[in-house]
Amino acid sequence: MTGSDDMRCPQSDNVAPFVLGALEHDAIDPFVEHLGTCASCRAEYDELQATATMLPLAVEQRDPPPEMKQRLMAVVRSEAELLRAAGPDADRVTVKPEGRRWWARLTERPLATALSGAGAAAAVVLVVVALAGGGSDTRTIQAQVLIPKANAQVEVNGGSGTLVASGMPSPSGGHVYAIWTQRANEKPRFAGTLGATPSKGSARATLNLDGVRQVMVSVEPADVGSAPTTEPVVTAQLT
Amino acid sequence: MRLRATSHRREAPSPATGGLRDLADEDLIRLAQSGDENAFEVVYDRHERAAYSLAYRMMGAQAPAQDVVQEAFLSLWRSGSHHDGSRGSVRTWILAVVHHRAIDALRRTTRHDSKIVDDEGLQERIEAPDRTDVEAIEREQSREVRAALEALPIEQRRVITLGYFGGFTHTEIAQILDAPIGTVKGRMRLGLQKMRGELIGIAGGTS
């Protein structure tokens, strides 16, 4: 089918850009759907994908710096230990991002946190929402934090509030902690950035919480986009 | 249990990984998915060099390449991803995750267009001093893939290189090359098909 141009599906022109990762973002979801129903495109996909997967072999092989493994395995061992401590029912990732990247369907299940940097080991933490009186009209909500030794809470007072975080390591170069607020039936909205917290003390960010059901913090590039690209390292459920 | 002939280990292995190093990738992935960090470490050791090399080629610098590799492996570790053996080897799967992570990283940075992405890197030599049979086979496969890519007409090679290693979309490539989008898509397809013909002997992806 794929060898006969006059029988080709009109959408088959997208197969090659798709397997190269070069299809326009907006075209990806519709094309993935199409692949599920078009045998012709699927056959061409299988053929071209097999070739595309060999392209990494064409690059010069380099020895990675040793610290790369040390950094990664420090995080992995920390998480494995916490998993064991949490028991067999513990799940590794408790929060899914609002959107899934297109390729996640083909290559992996829920995306992971893009934390990097020494000591930035993520932990699996059960969601604990503690309501505590911080004043007559203020309630303090403990956030779920995936960074060991870090702590975060949201102090809610009417339609506004403050995110207070401590023990957060500096994100790796070029990244920031981005704060997101999410209202019912809406996607997360960017609400500012949270500075790295000093070794003693805390970082604070004032937020408009009117109608907000969830506050999140994720590690993002300095030019923060319109939606989170990594899983949150801090999540506070307000309702 | 399947056995694997060798690994690409560069760092001293943890004592706890000793017996695991004889297991096949597929068995190790299953163990890692159940939370076995030692199995995960062995998988990492086997594929970190290929992963880092691909990331470095795409990102053009050490620090962002490390970030990409770390993100990719952490996502594999944390997500408990399921490897579908019918769709290729574990290495193919890992490199696909690295590739997509690098594309994401390239597209969210403003330095995307400043990266040098062309054919010259293909002339570089592989200098790994390994002597094992598996690594010798991989070096030969690598040579064949580079040769197949270099043998393409330059306009086909360029669109594949810009797309796969450069992280550019087909629309961006059309602008860069001042060519119609349909032409770019067609060159990608023809180039991949021609490479497939050259590489039919090692089809099925990286091992």
Side-chain angles (χ1 to χ4, degrees):
Chain A
M1 198 91 176
T2 56
S4 174
D5 277 359
D6 55 357
M7 296 180 68
R8 292 182 69 223
C9 168
Q11 291 204 45
S12 64
D13 283 350
N14 286 330
V15 175
F18 179 71
V19 302
L20 291 171
L23 198 60
E24 288 296 329
H25 188 269
D26 292 347
I28 290 167
D29 278 346
F31 187 67
V32 169
E33 252 180 63
H34 174 74
L35 270 182
T37 60
C38 178
S40 169
C41 285
R42 187 73 195 184
E44 187 162 336
Y45 166 82
D46 289 341
E47 173 187 316
L48 299 186
Q49 174 72 3
T51 305
T53 58
M54 286 187 272
L55 287 170
L57 285 173
V59 305
E60 177 196 12
Q61 296 298 292
R62 294 173 180 272
D63 283 331
E67 64 267 23
M68 189 171 80
K69 177 181 174 181
Q70 293 163 4
R71 198 169 63 171
L72 175 75
M73 288 310 299
V75 176
V76 168
R77 290 198 180 96
S78 168
E79 292 187 7
E81 193 173 328
L82 284 157
L83 277 170
R84 282 191 288 272
D89 294 334
D91 197 0
R92 292 194 190 177
V93 178
T94 56
V95 183
K96 293 181 180 179
E98 184 69 15
R100 296 266 306 276
R101 291 178 194 150
W102 59 272
W103 47 269
R105 298 178 195 176
L106 299 177
T107 56
E108 58 178 323
R109 292 211 297 263
L111 298 177
T113 307
L115 252 188
S116 58
V124 178
V125 184
L126 299 176
V127 175
V128 178
V129 179
L131 298 178
S136 57
D137 297 320
T138 301
R139 59 189 181 120
T140 301
I141 298 174
Q142 183 64 39
Q144 173 195 11
V145 183
L146 299 185
I147 302 171
K149 299 179 182 175
N151 186 47
Q153 54 193 29
V154 179
E155 297 169 355
V156 183
N157 191 329
S160 63
T162 305
L163 172 64
V164 183
S166 59
M168 305 271 283
S170 298
S172 59
H175 291 73
V176 297
Y177 287 119
I179 305 170
W180 308 90
T181 54
Q182 187 170 20
R183 293 170 172 79
N185 302 318
E186 288 185 9
K187 292 181 177 177
R189 286 187 195 169
F190 178 57
T193 59
L194 186 70
T197 57
S199 55
K200 292 181 179 177
S202 57
R204 306 171 74 88
T206 303
L207 303 171
N208 173 7
L209 298 178
D210 189 24
V212 170
R213 303 184 67 171
Q214 182 168 253
V215 175
M216 295 166 287
V217 176
S218 65
V219 179
E220 302 291 336
D223 53 339
V224 180
S226 59
T229 61
T230 67
E231 288 192 20
V233 294
V234 172
T235 305
Q237 302 285 349
L238 306 192
T239 58
Chain B
M1 288 283 187
R2 283 156 289 179
L3 298 180
R4 194 180 194 282
T6 188
S7 77
H8 291 265
R9 182 165 45 79
R10 292 294 186 281
E11 296 302 306
S14 302
T17 62
L20 294 169
R21 294 189 181 274
D22 290 333
L23 298 182
D25 281 349
E26 290 76 8
D27 298 320
L28 291 166
I29 285 292
R30 273 192 287 277
L31 289 171
Q33 285 168 353
S34 65
D36 186 333
E37 71 268 34
N38 295 318
F40 179 82
E41 181 180 359
V42 176
V43 173
Y44 176 82
D45 284 345
R46 284 180 185 171
H47 304 296
E48 68 163 340
R49 194 163 188 258
Y52 178 72
S53 301
L54 175 61
Y56 190 96
R57 175 74 170 87
M58 296 181 71
M59 304 305 294
Q62 193 178 89
Q66 286 187 61
D67 285 346
V68 162
V69 173
Q70 174 144 333
E71 284 183 18
F73 275 94
L74 279 180
S75 74
L76 296 173
W77 163 251
R78 289 175 177 157
S79 66
S81 298
H82 173 69
H83 169 246
D84 180 357
S86 68
R87 304 200 62 79
S89 66
V90 168
R91 171 167 290 208
T92 298
W93 178 55
I94 290 172
L95 292 178
V97 175
V98 170
H99 181 240
H100 295 309
R101 287 277 171 178
I103 286 179
D104 282 343
L106 286 168
R107 290 183 185 169
R108 67 180 183 237
T109 60
T110 54
R111 50 186 289 280
H112 187 184
D113 56 358
S114 66
K115 206 165 60 62
I116 304 300
V117 181
D118 213 326
D119 312 327
E120 65 268 23
L122 302 175
Q123 305 294 339
E124 295 166 336
R125 296 274 181 203
I126 290 180
E127 296 172 348
D130 307 290
R131 298 183 183 85
T132 64
D133 290 344
V134 168
E135 287 169 336
I137 291 168
E138 288 178 356
R139 282 200 301 276
E140 176 60 16
Q141 289 180 341
S142 181
R143 189 196 63 74
E144 290 180 24
V145 174
R146 279 201 311 282
L149 192 52
E150 289 167 8
L152 294 179
I154 188 166
E155 60 270 18
Q156 293 173 13
R157 182 169 72 238
R158 188 157 286 158
V159 295
I160 289 174
T161 303
L162 287 169
Y164 189 84
F165 295 116
F168 292 97
T169 67
H170 62 76
T171 305
E172 290 169 330
I173 295 170
Q175 290 168 351
I176 291 167
L177 301 180
D178 193 22
I181 287 175
T183 301
V184 170
K185 290 179 174 179
R187 287 174 181 170
M188 287 176 168
R189 174 170 168 259
L190 289 171
L192 287 173
Q193 286 179 330
K194 186 168 183 182
M195 282 190 71
R196 180 174 180 268
E198 297 290 324
L199 298 171
I200 201 75
I202 57 173
T206 55
S207 58

